[in-house]
Structures are given as structure tokens and as C-alpha cells.
Amino acid sequence: MSTPFARVVVAADDGVPIAVRTFGVETAPLTVVFVHGHCLRIDSWSFLRDQLLSHWDADTRMVFYDHRGHGESGVADPSTYTIDQLAHDLDAVLRALAPTGPVVLVGHSMGAMVCLAYARLFPEAIGTRVLGVGLIAGAANGLNEVGLGRFLHRYAVSSLQTAVLRAPRVMQASKRLSRRIFEPIIREAQFGTRKVNPRVVAVATAMLNDTPLLTMSSFLGSLIAFDETASLHRLGTIPALVLAGTQDIMVPFVHSVVLAAQLSGSELVPVPGAGHSVILERAEEVALQIVALVNRVCATLAEPGPDPELAAAG
């Protein structure tokens, strides 16, 4: 029996259409929501989704969506291209598609940061509705201190954003040219030391190439200023998976080590040899860890204690 699938459009609070795909029944007892990274889209989860479908039936519902300015979602004013706004968009998706029942959030890269921002902006949901979180290739702060992010600084980002706004066609052409010139570097940045299936590389490259330059540049300011270290306590002791590739040079593994050390309910999982696109290149291994995370959450639901629905209502 195939898992029910649906395409849905959710309106963000400011009216921006958010494209969503769901797998599983609406009445599922648990919903897992996947939050993608910068310059990616729903398709970045495709390999992982296929692996999870082999583990779960329709009783575990999966929700995938495109951020504003990404994939099939609508564009918006660049001033709204911030991680806090994406956390509000996540809340809109949850209200529309998972208004009741327990939820597990899984974020990759910028998506992991959105999950952390969500915990700060909607603390009442943590431990009542949101009962688990997966943070993949993420960080709580300091993206421009180590790895490739150290080349990002405010002047460079500001100059890029100004150029994109003043000469978008020229900059888009420059982007296409730079992709061809620097494709080997991009591949090295996205993937780790093992040989990667060419199809995986093709999927990642296509997603990056298709992201509008305005979207790419407008989020950079929010990324380099990102710092949620003071609000990590909001996640309390809920089960948390902190996973990353040991050869990630975009968001180096040390970020995950620091992040896990500050989350009392976390399990740190290194993926040896994997790069930043660990959800593509090592989908089977990541899927097993997400299944384990959801099993941990289900175990907490089976324990005697306050009903999450009643707590949320109160």
C-alpha cells in the first residue's frame, strides 16, 4: 500500500505562498517536519525521504516545504529574508498542517538554525507540541569564524547585495559563469572525502543553480549575524539529534560538537568522511538516525506524564 501524498500551498502570515508536500495521513499520531537549507528546496530531502518511506508507514506523517524565495514557494521583499521570518513561516506551516498532535522538527544547515530560532520565538511549543528536534549540519552561532564562512563578512555581503539589486541580470550571468569555473570547489564544499554518486552531485548542483541570486544574497546577512547560544535552553531536555559530516567545510563539525554540548537531551552523531550535503550523500545512515530520534520521542509519549495536547491547550 502506497503512502498518501499531497501538494499543498500554505499562506505565510504576510501572504507569501509556501509550497508544501506531505506524505502520510492527516490523522497520523506523529508528524515530522523537514526544514531545508540555504539555496536548497524540498528536493534536497528526496533521497532521505525515500529511505524513510521504507521504514515508516502512513502512521508517521512527513511534511516538507520550500522556504520563501526558494523552490516553488513565492518570492517576497528581501527585507523578509531572515531566519526569524523563516521561523514564523515554519509556525504557519505547523498551524495549517499539524495543528494538533506531537511534532518532530528536522532541519538541515540553515534549516537547523530556523528550528533553533523557532524554539526562541515559540517557547510554549517546545515540550508540549514539539517533542523532538534533529539538527543536521547546523550551528548556534559563529558561521563566519571557521570553514568557508570565514570569507563572509559584513562589507562583502553588503557589497554583493547592493550589486544584485542594481544589476541583477549581470550578476545572474556572473553566477552561471562562476558555477562552471568553481564547480570542483563547490563539489568539495558540499561533499566529503568519499566518492559520491554523480546523480547526487547533479541534484545538489541543480538546486544551487536554480536559486535566485537575490534569495541567495539576501539571507547572508541573517546567517552571519545568527546567534542562538543564549536561547538553546529553550529546547530543554527534549530528545535531540545533532548530526553532521566530519569533512564538512561549510559548517565544520566543531559547530555540532559545541551545539550538542549545550543540549542536555542531545545525541551527537558524526558521519565519518561526509560533507555538508550529508542528507544526500549518506541518506541511508541519516535516515536510521532520524528513525532512532522518532523512536526516542515515541518512548517519551509512552511514559506516564502530562498529556502534550492538554499542556498545549493550557
Side-chain angles (χ1 to χ4, degrees):
M1 181 178 177
S2 62
T3 301
F5 162 75
R7 291 179 181 268
V8 185
V9 176
V10 171
D13 293 341
D14 59 357
V16 175
I18 304 297
V20 186
R21 298 179 200 170
T22 68
F23 294 79
V25 296
E26 293 183 14
T27 56
L30 183 141
T31 301
V32 185
V33 180
F34 295 82
V35 191
H36 71 73
H38 183 229
C39 293
L40 300 177
R41 61 169 90 164
I42 289 173
D43 291 339
S44 67
W45 299 106
S46 60
F47 293 3
L48 182 62
R49 179 200 65 219
D50 291 344
Q51 291 290 332
L52 290 172
L53 285 172
S54 70
H55 290 278
W56 292 333
D57 56 24
D59 285 340
T60 300
R61 191 182 190 207
M62 293 189 286
V63 174
F64 304 85
Y65 70 97
D66 286 328
H67 292 307
R68 60 178 56 212
H70 293 75
E72 297 178 359
S73 289
V75 297
D77 189 297
S79 66
T80 71
Y81 287 176
T82 67
I83 293 175
D84 274 13
Q85 178 60 59
L86 295 186
H88 284 284
D89 292 349
L90 169 58
D91 183 61
V93 170
L94 291 174
R95 283 185 277 120
L97 297 176
T100 61
V103 171
V104 174
L105 301 178
V106 177
H108 170 245
S109 190
M110 184 175 74
M113 299 167 204
V114 173
C115 294
L116 295 178
Y118 177 86
R120 168 174 51 83
L121 293 169
F122 302 94
E124 70 283 353
I126 307 302
T128 56
R129 291 289 321 292
V130 176
L131 300 186
V133 62
L135 306 172
I136 301 174
N141 71 334
L143 280 182
N144 59 342
E145 294 177 3
V146 293
L148 290 183
R150 69 186 185 278
F151 295 110
L152 292 176
H153 51 81
R154 293 187 183 279
Y155 176 76
V157 169
S158 177
S159 298
L160 174 62
Q161 291 170 339
T162 300
V164 169
L165 290 172
R166 290 182 178 176
R169 291 184 180 179
V170 173
M171 291 300 294
Q172 192 64 35
S174 175
K175 178 188 175 185
R176 288 194 296 269
L177 177 61
S178 64
R179 284 291 181 200
R180 288 196 295 270
I181 295 173
F182 294 109
E183 185 173 354
I185 298 175
I186 294 169
R187 184 186 185 285
E188 180 66 23
Q190 289 291 318
F191 303 104
T193 56
R194 295 188 181 184
K195 185 176 181 180
V196 180
N197 187 314
R199 180 175 170 232
V200 172
V201 178
V203 170
T205 303
M207 286 187 289
L208 290 166
N209 282 336
D210 289 347
T211 303
L213 195 56
L214 183 61
T215 295
M216 184 274 287
S217 62
S218 297
F219 276 106
L220 291 178
S222 186
L223 284 168
I224 64 174
F226 183 77
D227 189 344
E228 290 290 347
T229 51
S231 59
L232 289 177
H233 68 280
R234 299 286 187 188
L235 290 173
T237 59
I238 67 169
L241 166 67
V242 180
L243 180 148
T246 60
Q247 298 301 314
D248 188 339
I249 63 174
M250 296 189 73
V251 182
F253 183 68
V254 64
H255 280 295
S256 290
V257 174
V258 173
L259 186 56
Q262 298 177 77
L263 298 175
S264 58
S266 71
E267 179 180 357
L268 176 63
V269 178
V271 183
H276 193 62
S277 290
V278 61
I279 62 172
L280 282 169
E281 59 174 312
R282 308 285 279 277
E284 184 175 2
E285 295 168 59
V286 177
L288 290 174
Q289 295 299 330
I290 292 175
V291 169
L293 169 66
V294 170
N295 288 343
R296 288 171 61 198
V297 171
C298 291
T300 66
L301 289 172
E303 295 172 357
D307 186 291
E309 293 292 338
L310 294 178

